[in-house]
Amino acid sequence: MTIVLTPYWSNGVQKLKVAPQPPPKPARGLTPPVLDESIHYRRCLAQLRSKDKGIEKYIYLSQLKDADANMFYKLCLNHMSEITPLIYTPTVGDACQQYSHIYRRPEGLYISIKDKGNVGKVLRNWPKIDDARISVVTDGSRILGLGDLGVNGMPISIGKLSLYIAGAGIRPSATIPICIDVGTDNKEFLEDPLYLGLRQPRIPQAEMHELMEEFMHEMSVVFPHLIIQFEDFSTDKAFAFLKAFRDKYPLFNDDIQGTGAVVLSGFLNAAKISSAASGRPLKDHKILFLGAGSAGVGVGMQLMSFFKLQGLSEQEARERIYLVDSQGLIFDSRGPMAEHKKFFSRKDYNGPPMKDLVDIIDYVKPTALLGLSTIKGAFNQPVIETMSALNPRPIIFPLSNPVRLSECEFHEAVEWSKGMVIFASGSPFPQQEFNGHTLYPGQGNNMYVFPGIGLGSILARVSSITDSMIEAASLGLANSLTEEEHSLDLVYPRIERIREISAGIALAVIREAQKNGVDRSIDLRKMPDAALLSFIKSKMWNP
């Protein structure tokens, strides 16, 4: 038996610890006589493909991860495009809705309002405290586009961390999925005898903030090396908690910042294709959003970076972005509105309320239409045709998840734009044949950026995650396409290259953290880029 000692720092002192050992193989007689690893890999893949429903495949993969994590992640890495939609969107939406019915065994950490005052004690029950490096935290109040799912939101945290492991090589023992249960306002779940969460309405905002203050403080004490990702908090809480804690702890909100980063990246590439067709300069693009929640406003703020990169001022960049909510175009004289919507509220329109999307498109004349509304079919034929009449290559990004809430589907956008659409969606769609050409949809999946953000933040041991680090991740993704991918007019790289992409993003994030002075791994500052990239890849866990 070989014992490997690895160095680590504790309170400024370098110490040694025993590196984790792979579990021993079962003794002879405890497995069939001919159990070959490569054959068993084929067996597991065949079992997965024998299931005919996404939720059944999800259940099978969950059981496989529990029984044989190495095999689970081998399947993920070798069949990324096939398995990602099963462990994350769109299938994870069904898994959340049915979580209390398909539950098998505990996974993750649950903090409830009943633990208030004792949160630290509960956190210390986690069995691998010293290994913990990254956590995804949700309160289940706005899961995807499905609303308040309460404790049934836990599969979101689990699924995201599976993608950190598969996409960036974070060690499985370093991850902590967490669900904060403060009740639910979902009447169906409160009446469901199998529901696993507290049977009470959600607590008031003031009490929630007190719990989060305690939770975040105790997390920093119990897990001093932890990066935290907030996931699927309702819009008001998402903005409030990000603002309250981002300067105190190393954290980011994937719905606000991650979505914004991945959309900015796709838009950078889409805008170049669109401008090449129209002859317009990049700074002349206009973006119209349908949906003004945390994701819509967060993406809008991130897309301001696109215009600032073209030389526009912050105010000029803001004026290139228009938002539409359930009451139509957002403008100042419309009346009272939620605080987060005011940032993009128009000051240059004082007419009557404008609610019809086609009318709004005719008025704004956008080059890009982005959907974060969760309204199925919102981008209908008149909408796509109007966008196509205004632009030789219209940019259409229906980003709502899951598929059944997407503003339009790829085949519709292709047909109604006569094959000219530049398309990216939140959930996957199949490629389409049109006039003898194969057209490929982009998928603006956050998994392109958050694994690299997490990996870079862990390796740099950052004290906080800055906006410029998120922007660096976005630019890193935008620049990761190969010549072949550019030739096919893709706006995102192929997901099969996710490890390579994540390493490049981690490099960009580390360098930006160093510029911002928030890194604590000072030895990395001396490394040239090539050496640092090799170091990053060496730290990726492989099954």
Side-chain angles (χ1 to χ4, degrees), residues 360-377:
I360 296 170
I361 292 170
D362 277 330
Y363 168 72
V364 174
K365 293 181 171 47
T367 56
L369 178 62
L370 276 61
L372 286 151
S373 66
T374 69
I375 301 173
K376 180 69 174 177

Side-chain angles (χ1 to χ4, degrees), residues 344-417:
F344 288 110
S345 180
R346 304 302 301 184
K347 295 173 172 49
D348 53 3
Y349 179 79
N350 295 301
M354 198 182 298
K355 294 188 176 181
D356 183 78
L357 188 54
V358 172
D359 292 341
I360 296 170
I361 292 170
D362 277 330
Y363 168 72
V364 174
K365 293 181 171 47
T367 56
L369 178 62
L370 276 61
L372 286 151
S373 66
T374 69
I375 301 173
K376 180 69 174 177
F379 296 172
N380 54 28
Q381 187 168 352
V383 166
I384 303 291
E385 288 178 346
T386 304
M387 284 293 295
S388 301
L390 291 169
N391 304 282
R393 298 293 307 273
I395 300 169
I396 308 290
F397 283 13
L399 298 168
S400 294
N401 287 317
V403 170
R404 63 185 180 82
L405 298 177
S406 181
E407 286 81 6
C408 71
E409 300 194 7
F410 184 47
H411 71 92
E412 296 171 331
V414 168
E415 178 186 343
W416 297 333
S417 69

